[in-house]
Amino acid sequence: MRARTLIVALAALGLSVLAVNASAEESKIRIGAIDAVLTIPPDVERPPVALLVAGSGSTDHDGNGPQVKPATLKKLSEQLVARKIATLRYDKRGAGGWKPEFGRPEDFRFKDYVDDATALVNYLRSNGKFSHVVLVGHSEGGLVAILAASHVPIDRLVLLVTAARRQGDLIKDQLQKKLAPDVYAPIASAIDAIMAGQTVDPPPPGLAIAPSMQPGLASAFTEDPIDPLKKIDAPTLIVGGGRDLQIARVDFIALGAASPAAKTLWFPDMNHVLVDVTDDADDLAAYGQSERPLDPGLIDSVADFILAGEAAR
């Protein structure tokens, strides 16, 4: 009987969230060349708004890419809207194809991601519908959020499973754990050369990056989050997960050290796409399970942190 009561209660909670979101105001907007989805909770005058910044790759506004479909941003948005927080999520450059408005792909630099996020923050701050603007960066999106916060005023910053190292160094660390030494060595050497501004032609097996695309890659590989994070004085929340196989606990600790006034939260069962998993196989499966719920503690913590900005105003 007790188990049945729990199931009914959980079902009722799910229906409640769906009902709230069903009456939310959702609209597709375009800022420059960026396509975005703005979702505003019903019956809330000037809610806070969270700009959700996706992780690496050609990731769309739901948090999905060509190979992985965890719908991380879509699920996070739904839960925040249910807690009376508006969200803006957007397609990264390259999601769904490269638009002519973005220029030539080989001319891309990581700064373009930062400029996109900055433009969206400016849009949210200028339209008068929101009480305060919060940047929420997931994975590489955390780096984008840190750099954007260095260029435009924000009210709060949330970093979800974000690296504290340069991406080139992080990728080398990830590959070293997976590849045989003889395969890893030339790839690591090539990454070091690209980070130093050199062109690697031909690239080694396992690093199929055309020479024309390497300067753009170098611009991403060499951005260091620590120094710009130290300069951010907006209230900050740093979140890590114990089952995250992409971002190590050392990154979580280093981010906290760089922002000593930040609130830090560690969820031992949470993986990189923000769901609870039991082992490595379960972790891998979660990247394709768009219906799988996010860690409930994460949702409550992020929502509470954002809403705390209301009381502070």
Side-chain angles (χ1 to χ4, degrees):
M1 179 64 71
R2 186 172 300 173
R4 178 178 176 82
T5 301
L6 177 61
I7 292 171
V8 171
L10 290 173
L13 176 61
L15 289 174
S16 173
V17 169
L18 289 173
V20 170
N21 287 349
S23 58
E25 176 189 336
E26 185 167 283
S27 55
K28 293 183 178 180
I29 63 174
R30 174 172 280 202
I31 307 298
I34 297 296
D35 291 312
V37 176
L38 178 64
T39 309
I40 301 176
D43 305 321
V44 184
E45 184 177 354
R46 298 190 76 244
V49 61
L51 174 61
L52 308 184
V53 187
S56 59
S58 301
T59 310
D60 67 13
H61 62 274
D62 286 337
N64 293 332
Q67 281 79 45
V68 295
K69 311 289 182 183
T72 306
L73 299 189
K74 181 176 186 292
K75 292 183 289 192
L76 181 58
S77 173
E78 289 172 347
Q79 294 294 335
L80 293 179
V81 170
R83 289 161 173 79
K84 303 188 183 303
I85 299 166
T87 66
L88 181 65
R89 49 201 171 95
Y90 62 100
D91 296 337
K92 286 180 61 182
R93 294 181 181 233
W98 192 263
K99 298 178 184 178
E101 299 96 312
F102 295 145
R104 301 188 309 163
E106 55 266 37
D107 292 333
F108 164 80
R109 297 296 182 269
F110 195 78
K111 177 181 178 294
D112 296 329
Y113 284 155
V114 179
D115 289 345
D116 292 340
T118 299
L120 292 171
V121 170
N122 283 329
Y123 164 78
L124 293 172
R125 294 190 70 88
S126 66
N127 70 8
K129 291 183 178 179
F130 308 107
S131 62
H132 60 280
V133 178
V134 181
L135 263 173
V136 180
H138 174 243
S139 188
E140 181 190 80
L143 174 60
V144 174
I146 290 169
L147 297 175
S150 302
H151 293 86
V152 65
I154 61 165
D155 296 290
R156 299 200 152 218
L157 174 66
V158 178
L159 304 177
L160 304 176
V161 293
T162 297
R165 291 169 277 178
R166 298 183 301 173
Q167 290 190 73
D169 296 327
L170 177 67
I171 290 172
K172 286 192 298 178
D173 182 61
Q174 292 171 342
L175 292 176
Q176 189 172 26
K177 296 173 182 176
K178 297 179 180 180
L179 301 177
D182 60 325
V183 177
Y184 169 74
I187 294 176
S189 178
I191 291 174
D192 286 337
I194 291 171
M195 291 174 70
Q198 302 170 20
T199 299
V200 179
D201 189 12
L207 190 71
I209 306 297
S212 63
M213 303 301 291
Q214 291 176 18
L217 197 65
S219 72
F221 277 5
T222 54
E223 288 285 1
D224 191 330
I226 294 299
D227 283 344
L229 179 59
K230 289 179 178 178
K231 299 172 184 176
I232 293 173
D233 57 8
T236 300
L237 173 65
I238 299 169
V239 178
R243 296 279 185 179
D244 188 343
L245 297 181
Q246 294 181 244
I247 304 296
R249 189 178 178 91
V250 65
D251 291 282
F252 171 78
I253 294 171
L255 290 177
S259 182
K263 181 178 182 180
T264 58
L265 292 173
W266 182 259
F267 296 97
D269 295 321
M270 190 180 77
N271 77 346
H272 194 67
V273 292
L274 312 182
V275 305
D276 291 346
V277 298
T278 56
D279 54 31
D280 288 358
D282 194 30
D283 172 65
L284 182 62
Y287 282 73
Q289 296 172 338
S290 60
E291 74 288 351
R292 191 162 179 165
L294 302 182
D295 181 294
L298 165 81
I299 296 166
D300 289 339
S301 298
V302 171
D304 289 347
F305 179 77
I306 293 172
L307 293 171
E310 295 282 86
R313 296 183 69 80

